[in-house]
Amino acid sequence: MNTVGAAAMSRADFERALRAKGQFYHIHHPYHQAMYRGECTPEQIRGWVANRYYYQISIPQKDAAIMANCPDANVRRLWLQRVLDHDGRDGDVGGIETWLSLAEAVGLTREEVIDQRHVLPGVRFSVDAYLSFARRATWQEAACSCLTELFAPNIHQSRLDSWPAHYPWIEDRGYSYFHKRLTEARRDVEHGLTITLDHFTTEAQQSRALEILQFKLDILWTMLDAMTMAYEYAAPPYHTVTEQRVWHRGL
């Protein structure tokens, strides 16, 4: 709850508060922890890759929404690189394509990933909520929601450090996405962090920014909760009624 007349944090303290949210990053989720320890089955790895694809294809849509709401041409020029990083451009196939390479490397077909047959309702609802927020929020608020990138290099490095040893059945070409994002995420966070520190300067605004970042953390955590039910506890939606995947694939 905001306190009337409360003083805003200094720029340095505000940045520390944002970075402190890393304790809630999904790198700490039991599903991720199991992946790093080599405890996941091939089905669990494939389920994660197939579901995470839905998030991957939504990222450039989210970034396009931020640009559509932003009147500052200089910001849009810099932000455009994020779209190109995922959609690709001449000489760079882009993150979505490298994610499909990961899917093939873990034993999925491009067709079954692209048609989203494996995407769980909990994952779809979470990602759709994030995209909806990016479209209706101010561009500065939507940019702030991207600050989970503060913690992203660690999660990509953790996969590169642990997966090859634990899951030798995964083809090496599948790791190109994680290598690619190590550099891109560090670059992106500098821009997004500057926007947030420059814009959210009052106590109320800073509280709002921290709540937005927590919202994004909730999105990522909830996605893994849905996957835990489906792939760890063998309790996907409607498992008490049917073994068929009757949930919708999008409207």
Side-chain angles (χ1 to χ4, degrees), residues 53 86-87 93-102 104 110 176:
Y53 174 78
H86 283 84
D87 284 347
V93 295
I96 293 174
E97 181 60 32
T98 54
W99 195 268
L100 288 170
S101 293
L102 171 62
E104 292 177 319
R110 294 172 67 92
S176 60

Side-chain angles (χ1 to χ4, degrees), residues 8-20 197 206 210:
M9 288 179 276
S10 68
R11 189 180 181 93
D13 285 345
F14 182 34
E15 180 175 345
R16 278 191 285 270
L18 291 166
R19 291 185 181 277
L197 295 176
Q206 290 172 345
L210 290 167

Side-chain angles (χ1 to χ4, degrees), residues 34 86 137 189 217 241 245:
H86 283 84
V189 75
L217 292 162
V241 179
R245 295 170 177 165

Side-chain angles (χ1 to χ4, degrees), residues 5-249:
M9 288 179 276
S10 68
R11 189 180 181 93
D13 285 345
F14 182 34
E15 180 175 345
R16 278 191 285 270
L18 291 166
R19 291 185 181 277
K21 286 289 186 179
Q23 65 184 305
F24 307 116
Y25 192 49
H26 63 163
I27 194 172
H28 303 296
H29 193 284
Y31 202 103
H32 268 312
Q33 291 295 304
M35 284 197 288
Y36 304 143
R37 292 192 298 263
E39 297 171 358
C40 283
T41 65
E43 180 192 17
Q44 289 166 345
I45 295 291
R46 291 172 188 139
W48 177 76
V49 171
N51 276 272
R52 180 79 181 189
Y53 174 78
Y54 189 65
Y55 178 81
Q56 299 303 130
I57 62 174
S58 297
I59 291 174
Q61 297 179 63
K62 173 266 298 181
D63 290 324
I66 291 173
M67 290 192 296
N69 290 330
C70 178
D72 189 324
N74 290 325
V75 171
R76 292 198 305 270
R77 289 188 192 100
L78 289 173
W79 210 272
L80 176 61
Q81 184 60 50
R82 296 172 182 246
V83 176
L84 298 176
D85 286 343
H86 283 84
D87 284 347
R89 61 188 303 177
D90 292 344
D92 180 3
V93 295
I96 293 174
E97 181 60 32
T98 54
W99 195 268
L100 288 170
S101 293
L102 171 62
E104 292 177 319
V106 302
L108 295 163
T109 66
R110 294 172 67 92
E111 178 186 10
E112 67 183 304
V113 175
I114 291 172
D115 71 14
Q116 302 174 20
R117 71 186 70 172
H118 301 298
V119 178
L120 298 161
V123 171
R124 189 179 296 277
F125 294 153
S126 297
V127 175
D128 288 353
Y130 181 41
L131 187 54
S132 176
F133 171 80
R135 287 169 171 162
R136 64 179 171 79
T138 67
W139 69 269
Q140 296 98 331
E141 289 179 334
C144 175
S145 74
C146 302
L147 286 184
T148 48
E149 292 165 342
L150 284 165
F151 325 116
N154 287 339
I155 208 168
H156 297 313
Q157 190 63 58
S158 294
R159 293 163 188 156
L160 292 170
D161 290 343
S162 62
W163 281 29
H166 292 315
Y167 310 110
W169 52 271
I170 298 177
E171 299 175 15
D172 289 344
R173 65 190 176 99
Y175 296 117
S176 60
Y177 176 86
F178 306 133
H179 284 292
K180 189 172 186 288
R181 288 303 297 165
L182 279 174
T183 301
E184 293 172 352
R186 290 189 177 96
R187 180 207 63 212
D188 291 346
V189 75
E190 292 180 10
H191 185 212
L193 182 59
T194 297
I195 290 171
T196 299
L197 295 176
D198 286 348
H199 178 75
F200 297 88
T201 56
T202 69
E203 189 277 336
Q205 289 173 332
Q206 290 172 345
S207 294
R208 171 71 173 167
L210 290 167
E211 186 69 9
I212 289 169
L213 182 52
Q214 186 61 57
F215 162 73
K216 175 62 179 306
L217 292 162
D218 292 350
I219 294 294
L220 298 172
W221 196 275
T222 299
M223 290 169 61
L224 289 172
D225 284 346
M227 288 182 243
T228 297
M229 289 299 296
Y231 305 120
E232 183 177 348
Y233 296 115
Y238 308 106
H239 69 282
T240 58
V241 179
T242 178
E243 294 183 359
Q244 297 181 24
R245 295 170 177 165
V246 296
W247 53 84
H248 73 290
R249 295 192 191 178

